[in-house]
Amino acid sequence: MSSSGTVNGGISFWYADDGLPVPREPLPGDATADVVIVGGGYTGLWTAYYLKKAAPSLRVTVLEQKFCGYGASGRNGGWLYNGVAGRDRYARLHGHEAAVRLQRAMNDTVDEVVRVAAEEGIDADVHRGGVLEVAYTPAQLARLKAFHEHELSYGERDRELYGARQTAERVRVADAVGSAWTPHGARLHPVKLVKGLAAAAEALGVTIHERTPVTEIRPKHAVTPYGTVRAPYVLRCTEGFTASLKGQRRTWLPMNSSMIATQRLTPEQWARIGWEGRETLGDMAHAYMYAQRTADDRIALGGRGVPYRFGSRTDHDGGTQQATVEALYGILVRFFPSLAGVRVEHAWSGVLGVPRDWCATVTLDRATGLGWAGGYVGSGVATTNLAARTLRDLVRLDSGQAGPTGLTGLPWVGHKVRKWEPEPFRWIGVHGMYATYRTADRRELATRSAESSRLARMADRVAGRH
């Protein structure tokens, strides 16, 4: 493929499409609040929004190092869906019914995000087409069927399993032999959502300071170069950027994910592909992909490129290696051979937060007033909303404003996990893991065996994913 004309970085296609925001004022000096939130992405903004909705008199301040939505909230694939990282582990730790409650809460969260966006007049190009995950090898089909049955065991009765013909009626992925569909999903424009959410929070009276990096969090203090905000509650909502905070280098690993967006496709091109339902689209590969049909008829497609940078470093404004762009383009053409030669107009990358046990968590330490939420492992577009409502309820419970709720009793609340290994072990481990997953995918494609590659199972064990 030719890289001429491809915008690389620039944060993301979503910002190129909707425009960069006018940055808000940085913190003018020392300040006080009732709750200070570190991070102006989905988690922080949703938390601020719900706190002010529940208790309008609360003084809530959000501190953001660049501008709201600079991180994963402005760079993701626009998948609003009901997946939550760590559900199976929570079933083992707390019992199946506890994990079912978490799953039901996630199903409801998709509806909640759509509801609030409509209520607040946020036009985020939301289209409720559900989630379609396809299989195109015998091993992938075996995993798909097992995955479908597993989801049914968590109470999701409205999902459907399709064969090759029914799959092609939805979207014509080359060589697809089956797929699974759930209605609990929607496509959206990530930046339109984050901009609208920030505006809605400000309209409620939330104070947002951008260009204000927090260098240290300690009980009742959020320290920045411009001053310190003191508050009884300090909530860390920094996801993939957590490692940049003092003492947090090994808390969550900043895993890199990359995306491309094509030129607008013609009606003739879409006629060959199908995809009229605009489902979010994934697959059952070990190194999986994710895609959406955008509101303006492009394909935005993502996957792992360089999975991790040494020392938990993050990228510069979404810059992406050419080899990664070419690999993602290869996935696009592998799915849709008729698109060979289509232009890639934008490529970008971002980081997501990965805990050592791959479990999303929400915590409020009642002894210190420190709280945090994250570790979404790439499923954050919806999970951030549930996490924020849970943080709201935990703060209100601790401050005596309200009693326990169904959310404060979910199994991810207060979950503890060990830190990642020091360097160079985590760099070697993560790169080795994804190299193994890619090798497993190639072997399954070549052998056409219905057995999942043992290499992938080994990588899962090393990673601590199961």
Side-chain angles (χ1 to χ4, degrees):
M1 60 163 283
S2 169
S3 59
S4 62
T6 300
V7 177
N8 192 321
I11 304 171
S12 72
F13 161 75
W14 311 115
Y15 277 111
D17 182 50
D18 201 60
L20 291 175
V22 176
R24 296 169 174 87
E25 290 297 316
L27 181 72
D30 290 344
T32 61
D34 296 312
V35 181
V36 60
I37 295 168
V38 181
Y42 290 148
T43 306
L45 293 172
W46 278 124
T47 302
Y49 174 86
Y50 284 116
L51 278 168
K52 284 295 278 186
K53 274 284 198 182
S57 63
L58 276 182
R59 296 173 301 150
V60 180
T61 296
V62 176
L63 302 176
E64 163 56 39
Q65 68 164 339
K66 297 272 190 172
F67 55 80
C68 289
Y70 175 80
S73 299
R75 309 190 198 189
N76 62 78
W79 273 46
L80 177 73
Y81 85 119
N82 66 340
V84 57
R87 183 194 60 190
D88 290 350
R89 190 179 296 270
Y90 289 131
R92 292 194 294 271
L93 291 172
H94 301 278
H96 184 73
E97 185 50 41
V100 168
R101 285 190 288 111
L102 179 60
Q103 185 59 65
R104 285 180 181 146
M106 277 305 310
N107 296 349
D108 294 341
T109 295
V110 175
D111 299 329
E112 172 69 3
V113 173
V114 175
R115 181 193 70 78
V116 174
E119 185 178 282
E120 295 293 344
I122 301 170
D123 182 2
D125 296 340
V126 176
H127 181 85
R128 298 201 65 164
V131 183
L132 186 73
E133 292 173 285
V134 301
Y136 53 85
T137 69
Q140 285 189 23
L141 184 62
R143 286 197 296 275
L144 178 83
K145 290 176 177 176
F147 165 74
H148 177 74
E149 291 301 318
H150 198 53
E151 296 307 294
L152 292 177
S153 76
Y154 284 98
E156 198 184 323
R157 300 295 176 209
D158 43 6
R159 61 181 299 112
E160 298 173 5
L161 188 65
Y162 302 139
R165 183 180 300 171
Q166 290 169 300
T167 301
E169 288 170 357
R170 283 186 173 263
V171 58
R172 286 184 280 283
V173 172
D175 302 322
V177 289
S179 62
W181 178 82
T182 173
H184 299 290
R187 173 217 71 193
L188 55 74
H189 188 301
V191 163
K192 290 180 180 179
L193 178 61
V194 79
K195 285 182 178 180
L197 185 53
E202 277 189 316
L204 292 173
V206 173
T207 299
I208 300 175
H209 292 297
E210 296 180 327
R211 297 174 290 174
T212 304
V214 172
T215 55
E216 182 182 0
I217 293 173
R218 57 177 187 264
K220 298 179 172 54
H221 296 76
V223 181
T224 85
Y226 302 109
T228 297
V229 182
R230 292 170 175 80
Y233 298 100
V234 183
L235 307 180
R236 188 187 82 224
C237 303
T238 47
E239 192 58 355
F241 291 87
T242 300
S244 63
L245 290 164
K246 183 177 179 181
Q248 303 294 334
R249 175 73 69 182
R250 292 164 54 199
T251 300
W252 289 333
L253 185 138
M255 184 78 76
N256 200 55
S257 199
S258 301
M259 293 197 71
I260 57 173
T262 69
Q263 66 188 84
R264 290 180 179 176
L265 303 186
T266 65
E268 293 75 24
Q269 287 171 315
W270 283 117
R272 288 193 288 271
I273 293 169
W275 210 349
E276 288 89 357
R278 297 178 185 263
E279 305 89 343
T280 55
L281 179 66
D283 71 0
M284 298 305 293
H286 300 292
Y288 54 83
M289 58 75 73
Y290 51 96
Q292 67 152 281
R293 177 176 176 175
T294 68
D296 64 349
D297 284 333
R298 305 170 191 269
I299 294 177
L301 180 148
R304 296 285 180 270
V306 177
Y308 172 71
R309 290 176 170 83
F310 191 88
S312 291
R313 294 194 304 273
T314 55
D315 62 82
H316 178 68
D317 288 352
T320 302
Q321 289 188 343
Q322 181 60 25
T324 298
V325 179
E326 291 172 1
L328 293 174
Y329 182 78
I331 294 172
L332 174 74
V333 175
R334 193 252 162 270
F335 268 55
F336 306 114
S338 65
L339 295 184
V342 75
R343 240 178 21 258
V344 171
E345 292 199 345
H346 210 116
W348 71 100
S349 295
V351 291
L352 47 102
V354 180
R356 189 60 184 87
D357 65 354
W358 302 70
C359 290
T361 56
V362 184
T363 298
L364 180 66
D365 184 342
R366 303 188 73 169
T368 62
L370 297 177
W372 56 91
Y376 307 120
V377 195
S379 298
V381 179
T383 317
T384 49
N385 178 278
L386 179 61
R389 287 183 284 127
T390 306
L391 275 177
R392 171 202 61 192
D393 289 1
L394 289 170
V395 168
R396 299 194 75 214
L397 174 63
D398 184 73
S399 60
Q401 295 179 17
T405 68
L407 300 186
T408 60
L410 290 174
W412 68 342
V413 173
H415 178 73
K416 292 180 173 61
V417 62
R418 67 184 174 94
K419 292 181 180 291
W420 281 88
E421 291 79 0
E423 295 292 21
F425 301 109
R426 66 178 180 271
W427 186 92
I428 293 168
V430 174
H431 279 262
M433 175 182 70
Y434 273 99
T436 304
Y437 284 144
R438 284 191 287 266
T439 300
D441 285 329
R442 285 195 297 270
R443 285 193 181 179
E444 289 178 4
L445 201 56
T447 64
R448 312 302 292 179
S449 168
E451 287 286 318
S452 286
S453 169
R454 280 182 288 183
L455 284 173
R457 292 199 293 273
M458 285 169 44
D460 283 342
R461 283 197 294 273
V462 171
R465 297 178 79 164
H466 296 296

